[in-house]
């Protein structure tokens, strides 16, 4: 086999490996979005833990709501947001 034949074979193998490992753009976007969401909610969870929301078990809708909006606020908690739910009305079941 000549040097040129080896090079062509090697180049073809490299292209095949790159095609196998290449991800479509939607998969990359999905990965980045899911990673961003995990980091966002992780920051909200850390903020809720730092505010001691998990020390005592929440017993009413107001406490659960405050925890939920703190998690959703994510990193905004570290930029001055301190979301709290002051009143919570749950619907009553029909009779």
């Amino acid at each position: 086999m000549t040097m040129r034949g080896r090079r062509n074979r090697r180049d073809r193998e490299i292209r095949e490996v790159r095609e196998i490992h290449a991800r479509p753009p939607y998969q990359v976007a999905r990965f980045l979005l899911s990673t961003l969401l995990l980091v966002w909610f992780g920051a909200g969870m850390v903020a809720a833990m730092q505010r001691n929301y998990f020390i005592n078990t929440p017993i009413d809708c107001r406490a659960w709501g405050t925890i939920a909006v703190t998690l959703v606020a994510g990193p905004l908690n570290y930029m001055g947001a301190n979301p709290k739910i002051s009143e919570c009305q749950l619907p009553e079941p029909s009779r």
Side-chain angles (χ1 to χ4, degrees):
M1 190 179 287
T2 66
M3 185 64 109
R4 185 175 185 152
R6 287 183 192 168
R7 182 177 294 155
N8 287 340
R9 181 175 173 215
R10 182 173 174 266
D11 290 344
R12 187 176 63 246
E13 289 173 354
I14 289 172
R15 278 194 304 271
E16 288 173 359
V17 168
R18 286 183 181 161
E19 288 174 5
I20 291 171
H21 292 294
R23 292 185 177 174
Y26 71 89
Q27 284 184 343
V28 174
R30 188 182 310 168
F31 172 76
L32 292 175
L33 183 62
S34 61
T35 303
L36 177 68
L37 284 174
L38 283 174
V39 169
W40 186 274
F41 288 125
M45 179 70 78
V46 170
M49 289 180 354
Q50 288 175 344
R51 293 177 182 163
N52 297 323
Y53 289 160
F54 301 115
I55 298 296
N56 298 323
T57 306
I59 55 171
D60 59 350
C61 178
R62 184 179 59 98
W64 284 108
T66 300
I67 291 172
V69 295
T70 301
L71 293 177
V72 170
L76 298 176
N77 289 298
Y78 295 101
M79 291 187 242
N82 188 9
K84 290 196 184 271
I85 301 295
S86 61
E87 204 173 293
C88 188
Q89 298 279 342
L90 289 177
E92 295 292 327
S94 60
R95 293 183 186 197

